[in-house]
Amino acid sequence: EKRRQIQKASNVYSYIAARDPNYRDLRARRQRLKEQPLTRGVAPAPPPPAQAQTPPELETQPADPDLAYPAPRHVRATTRTLGRYEIERELGKGAMGTVYLGRDPKINRVVAIKAIPLAQEFEEDDLQEARARFFREAEMAGRLNHPAIVTVYDAGEDHGLAYIAMEYLRGTHMSHFTEAARILPFKTTMLLVARVADALYYAHRQNVVHRDIKPANIMFNPDTDELKITDFGIARLTDTSRTKTGIVLGTPSFMSPEQLEGRPLDGRSDQFALGVSLYQLLCGQLPFRAESMPRLMQKIATEPHASVRLVRPELPECIDPILTRTLAKSADDRYAHCGELARALRDCVGAQGASEPAQMKALVQKYFGTLKRGPAVPPIKAATPKITSERRKVVTARVELP
């Protein structure tokens, strides 16, 4: 309980209560555990003096912006805090901890706070090493200043919970667009991934490797066109330490062969993960799939991926060599850095746009052979026999050929 291992303490107390419900101060401990939130509580403000005759409508203020009705000041719920930050609500949970919506009361800034229970996840022998690594990586992530990387404001530890306070983002995870019905247009996907590649290139030049690039760690707001990579500095936490709950560094389906083998990593490992993300964003499927973890690891390390155009034949041919190089088994066979990948993605989009007039010319030649410049073709009447609508469209466009 002192180490904030609430669930474990509750299980132990329940075990004791089943055998002796009156054991020492067991009742008081269980009651205290029920009232104890995940984060430290601050006593509510005292009620206003009795002589104050403030109208009832001025006695209230919203305790939570999501509440339909405000709560009276003198009965406000206990404010939860983590470090100096006030916790407003939970935003989500993941393998590495819980994310909260918080507020810095000193400057009234809204932040997202990722809390990681180090004392719960690591054995005593590894705890100091994990704590040191956490703050070292958080410091490195805090130095990154790029429009496509989430800003880290602060890091700390409170009652066994390590936390990172970062920029609060509005939008949705890119994993939302990996479902078949929500796949973004080809050009949009390519340009978004190119922006991610630019941001990774910047981070790698600062000697920061993400280690867990995937659509779920990329936030996108379609309304503002804002794109941000999240969770820099988090994945490194379990790089070499043993964890009690078996946290796996990174997400296996997106991990490079060298990461699976535990070898030293550089920016080309992130490039591989970004290639897997691009593949999934283009067709809604992962390039490597298997029924078991050993088989998945074997496929990633030894077997080539299937062409994304087998799933979506309408995609341009230029995407295949990009994915082939990005998903190469050897890091030496990939792009030298993510900046090169970003250029290749944009070149593919540009080539696709430039190929549209050539496609029209090829369609004309398919029906009429090589055409020479000459007088304009007379308008074709709708009643002209034996000319299909597609052929009529091509003939009419003949005068526009260069």
Side-chain angles (χ1 to χ4, degrees), residues 37-249:
L38 176 62
T39 51
R40 212 164 25 93
V42 174
Q51 63 270 22
Q53 299 298 322
T54 308
E57 61 271 17
L58 300 182
E59 284 278 337
T60 61
Q61 68 177 17
D64 188 318
D66 292 336
L67 292 178
Y69 301 97
R73 284 182 180 171
H74 62 278
V75 294
R76 286 180 66 189
T78 300
T79 302
R80 298 188 301 165
T81 64
L82 190 57
R84 73 169 187 265
Y85 300 96
E86 297 177 352
I87 304 300
E88 296 192 0
R89 69 175 185 272
E90 181 181 307
L91 294 176
K93 288 184 178 180
M96 288 297 295
T98 305
V99 181
Y100 299 96
L101 177 65
R103 184 180 300 276
D104 186 342
K106 290 185 178 180
I107 56 177
N108 197 32
R109 177 166 59 190
V110 175
V111 296
I113 303 174
K114 186 150 194 174
I116 304 172
L118 293 181
Q120 182 176 336
E121 294 297 344
F122 292 91
E123 300 288 352
E124 194 67 34
D125 295 341
D126 297 321
L127 186 56
Q128 287 301 115
E129 179 188 353
R131 183 180 289 114
R133 183 182 299 111
F134 172 81
F135 287 109
R136 184 168 60 250
E137 294 295 322
E139 179 184 359
M140 294 179 67
R143 295 175 184 170
L144 300 178
N145 182 17
H146 191 277
I149 296 177
V150 67
T151 302
V152 174
Y153 298 130
D154 187 21
E157 186 176 10
D158 188 7
H159 287 68
L161 279 176
Y163 64 86
I164 292 182
M166 64 192 81
E167 175 185 8
Y168 173 59
L169 303 175
R170 290 174 172 80
T172 184
H173 297 285
M174 287 293 288
S175 55
H176 176 81
F177 303 107
T178 60
E179 298 180 14
R182 298 172 177 167
I183 289 179
L184 296 171
F186 168 78
K187 180 179 179 180
T188 302
T189 298
M190 295 285 280
L191 295 180
L192 287 175
V193 174
R195 288 162 62 182
V196 175
D198 286 334
L200 288 175
Y201 180 45
Y202 163 80
H204 297 158
R205 284 180 291 165
Q206 314 304 314
N207 297 317
V208 179
V209 180
H210 191 285
R211 292 176 170 81
D212 195 20
I213 288 293
K214 56 185 177 181
N217 281 337
I218 304 170
M219 290 286 290
F220 177 56
N221 188 339
D223 295 332
T224 62
D225 196 41
E226 185 179 47
L227 180 80
K228 297 273 188 176
I229 305 175
T230 66
D231 274 9
F232 265 101
I234 299 295
R236 182 76 167 88
L237 179 62
T238 58
D239 195 13
T240 58
S241 296
R242 303 180 301 275
T243 64
K244 296 178 182 177
T245 57
I247 290 179
V248 177
L249 171 65

